Amino acid sequence: QVQLAESGGGSVQAGGSLRLSCALSTTLSSTYCVAWFRQVSGKDRDGVASFYRGNGGTVYADSVKGRFTVSQDNEKNTVFLEMNSLQPEDTAMYYCAAGNRMGCLQLREENYGYWGQGTQVTVSS
């Protein structure tokens, strides 16, 4: 069983930055991906970025390319999401997730079996 805990959310003005952290309860094997999703109340959860522990490969949603960066700190079992140039449309609950299904880099919810509780990000104009 893998437990994930997000932190780092908050309120910022447009153009600002935040760094989200996802603390993992255990060291994941190289077959795992860790991803970030976000959800606006009443809407579907959308994939934001994913990270493959095997080779460091990443995938980003088009809406965040060039602004968000996903990375990991192996020693601390933590995955980060650095978010820059934030816009009001980035406002959402952000979740981290872990999974090791084939093709886990693809930002589909069904690829991830372990989820955190989420952290709220609010961007004001």
Side-chain angles (χ1 to χ4, degrees):
Q1 189 77 7
V2 180
Q3 294 179 325
L4 302 92
E6 304 94 336
S7 61
S11 298
V12 296
Q13 292 198 330
S17 299
L18 283 173
R19 187 175 80 156
L20 305 183
S21 299
C22 175
L24 308 171
S25 62
T26 186
T27 301
L28 299 178
S29 75
S30 60
T31 63
Y32 271 83
C33 296
V34 179
W36 290 92
F37 288 76
R38 65 186 181 186
Q39 186 173 28
V40 176
S41 181
K43 295 189 176 181
D44 292 337
R45 192 151 47 184
D46 294 325
V48 175
S50 59
F51 179 94
Y52 179 48
R53 292 176 60 84
N55 61 10
T58 56
V59 169
Y60 294 93
D62 288 343
S63 58
V64 306
K65 280 180 183 176
R67 300 188 298 124
F68 290 12
T69 303
V70 61
S71 62
Q72 71 171 355
D73 181 334
N74 268 332
E75 291 184 2
K76 296 182 179 179
N77 281 344
T78 303
V79 175
F80 303 101
L81 183 68
E82 187 77 36
M83 307 187 295
N84 298 313
S85 301
L86 284 162
Q87 299 301 316
E89 52 265 35
D90 294 316
T91 295
M93 184 71 79
Y94 282 71
Y95 299 88
C96 66
N100 64 347
R101 290 186 64 177
M102 185 75 71
C104 59
L105 264 180
Q106 299 307 310
L107 292 167
R108 300 192 186 99
E109 287 189 64
E110 58 265 31
N111 286 340
Y112 297 88
Y114 302 102
W115 293 83
Q117 295 299 306
T119 186
Q120 177 69 36
V121 171
T122 302
V123 185
S124 57
S125 57

